[in-house]
Every structure is written in structure tokens, then in C-alpha cells.
Amino acid sequence: MPKLLQINITANWGSHGRIAEGIGQLAISQGWESHIAYGRWANASQSHLFRIGSMTDEYLHVAATRLTDSHGLHSRRATQKLIGYIQGLNPDIIHLHNIHGYYLNYPLLFQFLSDAGIPVVWTLHDCWAFTGHCAHFMTVGCERWKTKCHHCPLKREYPQSLLLDASAKNYEHKRKAFLSVPRTTIVTVSQWLDNMVSESFMKTLRRQLIYNGIDMSRFCILPDSKEVLHKYGVPSDRHIVLGVASKWYKQKGINDFYRLRQLLADSFSIVLVGLNKKQVNALPSGVIGIQRTDDVGELARLYNAASVFFNPTWEDNFPTTNLEALACGTPVVTYRTGGCPEAVNDRNGCVVEQGDMEAAVAAIEHLCNANRAVVRDECRKSVVGRFDQQERYNEYMDLYRHVLMERTSPSNIRP
């Protein structure tokens, strides 16, 4: 029975945590043994779970990062325990997801992976792996990561450093560590991210594009979803502009929604899902806030009830919220950010330039005046064939099998 070990900051929590869970479930159904090692935040899982480190270890890692810009270079004891766990488990494949987040020492882990010779698949959910500091560089248009990071303009952004700028050293640490495991296959989740990796120091590693997918049976067109609007006091006789995020902050576009409210007529209501209590209480008139919900059924009803889904994110690789809205028959207006445009076309929504609120308003008004039945059908059709999560998980299983076949034929390995 082949053994799969996935490593991620979360287990069955958040977008990439749920992706790891879905891959594990499919692996189990195909006769594999599935394990997930995680840093923090876990829900019940069908895979065997292993907790890496503790909250105390995380706090110490955060403190060191804030002072010395050395994210990923601490948590030695936690990483050594993880290595001991891996040695005892002896997995056939190690699948990395987000290895940043104050819970791992990546040089220590990659030294072990280099010596162990276990095939590694690594899904990049952001850009942290090939920069000297940041997880996203879109907001400032930085291109130093293409050669060698220095004088980081995002030092105060995640993973925040309050004092030192060690981006040049971090870049070299990562380059040395991440290129030390030749049996690594990089998985990119959008064409945009694949293009970025091709210009980074990771370009010599093999890579494969596998889009993120969603559960098409849960995110679907529902016959009657208006009652969910009454639950939250949303007038059902208005056009509903919906925004959804696991956490709202400037880069996710919350301020753009405030600007949108000022530009839209009173015949529109804005509904934001994923706010915290403080944000809900501070919302301007005409914007209705809903706190984060893990009720997928309710979220699907909100997508269905919306006239338009607006995603004004300033940094993203490939947001699944766009896919969820489209699968529910709701057109998407999104910024030309990262991989956001890759699921949107002129039949299911509109792509506008970052911060162009006049274009966003025009697109929203146009879509609200379009034939609702035709638009819903086009939206659904545009994602069913390309972004079904089971098909995408099967791509991972095919990749695993290919990697295992190569393990018996080392001469076939090419960078």
C-alpha cells in the first residue's frame, strides 16, 4: 500500500488545507495510506494527522521573524520531530503545500529530503518560495525576485519584519535549499504563477500546472435561494453585489468595496462575507456584513442570490471564490490580478484593471441588465469542464503514479 504524506500549515481548514484533505480522501479511496502533517488549525480528517510543533514554538518563531526577518529559519526542534516522524513512516511520496507560517525550519527539512531521496511534489499556493521575503509582490510591482532580492519594499508585510531586512540572505537560503532536492516536481495553480516560476531560480525544477478546483455538486445553481437574504436583512428587490473572503484586509479589496458603495445607485446592495465583528460594526450604510461561515450550503445560497460577484483583490494567484460564484451561475467582475482572469471571459463576467472603479461599476451594471437565465447558464458551463475538484485531484494521483514509476527508473529523471 503506497503511503502519501502531505505537509501544510493547516489540516482540512482553509483553502489549501481542504485541498490537501480532498487529495488524501481520493488517495485513500484508491488504496493509498494518507497522512497529513500540519502546523496549526485542523478539522476532523480522514487522513492520519500529525501536529508539528506547538503554539509556544510558533510564538517564538513569530518573535524572531519580527526582529530579524528570518522566517522559516527557526522551529528546529519541531522540524527535527517531524523528520523523525517521516523516518518512521517512510512515505512513498511527500507532497508539500504551504511550508511557511512560523512552524517549520525549511533548510533542515530540505537537507533531510535531499538525503532521503523521497520524491517530492510541491504545490505553490503563493510566491513565497522564490522570494527573499514576501508571499505576494503584486501590489508594488517588485521584480527583484527574478535576480536576487534586496532592500525589500514589503518588509512590513507578511511575514512582517519590524527591524532588519534580510531579504538578500533569505533569497540565497531558499535558492540553496529548494534546489537541493532534484526529485522535486513543482505544481503551479495558475498559468500566471507558472509564468512567474519560469522566471525565478526554481525554473530548473520540473513543474506541472494543476488548477485548483471546487465541489461542483455543492456549488451549483439552486432553484430558490432568496430566503437566505431575509436571514441577514438584505432587501430582495435590489441587485446584490457579493464579496467573499476568508479574511478581509486592504489587499483583498475591502476599501474598494467602500468606494463601490459610493458609486452604485441605491438600487444595489453590497454583501460581504468573511468579516470579523469589528469590521461588521464599522461598515458604512448600504453594506451588509456577514462573519466567516463554514456552512457551504449557505455560502452557495448566497452566491445564487447575488446578481454579481465582485472580487477586487490586489494580490492572488487563482482565487477559488471566482469559481464558486461561476458554478452557482453568478457572473464575476474581477481585477486583472495574478491568475484571476483565467476563469473569466466576456460571457461569464468581466476583467477590469486594478482600482478602476468606473469600469467595475459599468461592468456590474451591464451584467445586472443582461438576461439572467442566459448568463447563469454560461457561468455554469464555463467552469464545469475545467475546474471540477475531483478531476483536479485525479491529476495529482496521476502525477504521483508517474513519479513512483520514475523512482524505479532514475535514468529517466530530467530537470
Side-chain angles (χ1 to χ4, degrees):
M1 176 183 292
K3 294 180 183 178
L4 168 65
L5 170 63
Q6 298 183 82
I7 300 176
N8 188 46
I9 180 63
T10 65
N12 200 16
W13 190 98
S15 58
H16 37 83
R18 287 192 292 270
I19 289 169
E21 176 66 17
I23 293 171
Q25 290 179 7
L26 181 60
I28 292 168
S29 73
Q30 296 187 8
W32 287 54
E33 190 176 305
S34 178
H35 301 255
I36 298 175
Y38 71 97
R40 60 180 179 276
W41 302 324
N43 287 320
S45 172
Q46 291 188 25
S47 297
H48 302 282
L49 298 183
F50 175 81
R51 172 73 186 271
I52 304 171
S54 64
M55 291 305 297
T56 299
D57 177 73
E58 178 191 339
Y59 293 148
L60 292 173
H61 199 144
V62 170
T65 299
R66 295 287 186 272
L67 296 174
T68 62
D69 193 18
S70 52
H71 182 226
L73 301 177
H74 304 281
S75 303
R76 291 188 62 86
R77 182 176 298 179
T79 305
Q80 287 168 344
K81 289 182 178 180
L82 170 64
I83 290 171
Y85 169 74
I86 297 173
Q87 290 173 323
L89 181 63
N90 191 27
D92 296 277
I93 299 279
I94 293 180
H95 186 166
L96 307 177
H97 292 274
N98 272 11
I99 63 169
H100 59 86
Y102 313 106
Y103 76 108
L104 270 179
N105 183 295
Y106 67 81
L108 196 60
L109 175 63
F110 271 78
Q111 180 61 59
F112 166 75
L113 295 176
S114 178
D115 295 338
I118 302 171
V120 174
V121 172
W122 188 2
T123 299
L124 302 187
H125 298 283
D126 53 43
C127 306
W128 176 85
F130 54 89
T131 75
H133 178 87
C134 67
H136 295 285
F137 42 74
M138 307 170 200
T139 56
V140 295
C142 180
E143 295 189 343
R144 294 169 188 170
W145 53 272
K146 293 182 179 181
T147 52
K148 182 176 180 178
C149 289
H150 59 89
H151 299 89
C152 180
L154 293 170
K155 185 183 76 170
R156 292 299 183 96
E157 300 297 328
Y158 172 86
Q160 185 183 48
S161 175
L162 299 176
L163 297 178
L164 300 182
D165 174 4
S167 56
K169 291 182 179 180
N170 290 336
Y171 182 92
E172 287 302 321
H173 284 314
K174 290 181 182 181
R175 187 184 62 80
K176 180 180 178 181
F178 301 156
L179 297 184
S180 69
V181 184
R183 297 175 66 88
T184 298
T185 301
I186 299 296
V187 174
T188 54
V189 297
S190 70
Q191 186 60 58
W192 175 86
L193 183 57
D194 195 78
N195 294 341
M196 296 300 102
V197 175
S198 73
E199 298 184 73
S200 77
F201 65 74
M202 301 180 86
K203 61 187 175 184
T204 58
L205 298 174
R206 287 183 304 176
R207 63 182 187 275
Q208 179 173 334
L209 170 59
I210 300 179
Y211 280 113
N212 292 333
I214 60 169
D215 187 340
M216 294 294 172
S217 66
R218 305 185 77 179
F219 292 101
C220 58
I221 296 176
L222 301 172
D224 185 14
S225 55
K226 293 295 184 181
E227 62 183 37
V228 73
L229 300 178
H230 298 300
K231 176 179 178 179
Y232 293 106
V234 183
S236 58
D237 59 345
R238 297 182 184 180
H239 295 301
I240 308 299
V241 180
L242 178 68
V244 176
S246 58
K247 183 185 295 185
W248 283 101
Y249 48 93
K250 180 181 177 181
Q251 289 85 348
K252 278 295 182 183
I254 189 168
N255 294 336
D256 299 70
F257 270 104
Y258 297 160
R259 292 171 60 201
L260 181 68
R261 176 64 278 173
Q262 296 173 349
L263 297 173
L264 285 176
D266 291 339
S267 57
F268 289 82
S269 289
I270 294 176
V271 178
L272 298 182
V273 179
L275 299 168
N276 59 41
K277 286 184 178 181
K278 182 178 179 180
Q279 289 172 321
V280 170
N281 293 332
L283 289 175
S285 176
V287 180
I288 297 170
I290 301 173
Q291 294 185 54
R292 178 188 174 95
T293 176
D294 289 321
D295 186 338
V296 174
E298 180 171 274
L299 186 57
R301 290 192 293 274
L302 286 165
Y303 280 124
N304 273 267
S307 308
V308 175
F309 179 74
F310 183 39
N311 187 0
T313 180
W314 289 77
E315 54 179 30
D316 218 318
N317 295 314
F318 189 71
T320 54
T321 52
N322 287 1
L323 305 181
E324 292 167 356
L326 292 170
C328 292
T330 300
V332 171
V333 176
T334 189
Y335 283 167
R336 195 177 304 281
T337 298
C340 292
E342 294 176 38
V344 180
N345 56 52
D346 57 4
R347 297 180 303 279
N348 65 12
C350 185
V351 178
V352 301
E353 301 303 322
Q354 290 182 333
D356 190 344
M357 298 306 298
E358 292 184 0
V361 169
I364 290 169
E365 292 176 343
H366 169 74
L367 290 166
C368 286
N369 291 325
N371 185 305
R372 177 68 169 167
V374 172
V375 171
R376 286 172 72 88
D377 184 55
E378 288 289 345
C379 290
R380 177 73 182 178
K381 287 195 302 184
S382 69
V383 294
V384 168
R386 297 176 64 198
F387 304 114
D388 182 277
Q389 67 178 16
Q390 288 305 311
E391 294 180 10
R392 303 291 72 76
Y393 295 159
N394 269 315
E395 284 192 78
Y396 279 107
M397 295 304 301
D398 290 342
L399 176 58
Y400 294 161
R401 284 187 281 268
H402 178 73
V403 168
L404 287 179
M405 287 179 62
E406 282 195 337
R407 193 176 191 181
T408 62
S409 302
S411 60
N412 291 333
I413 298 176
R414 293 187 299 272

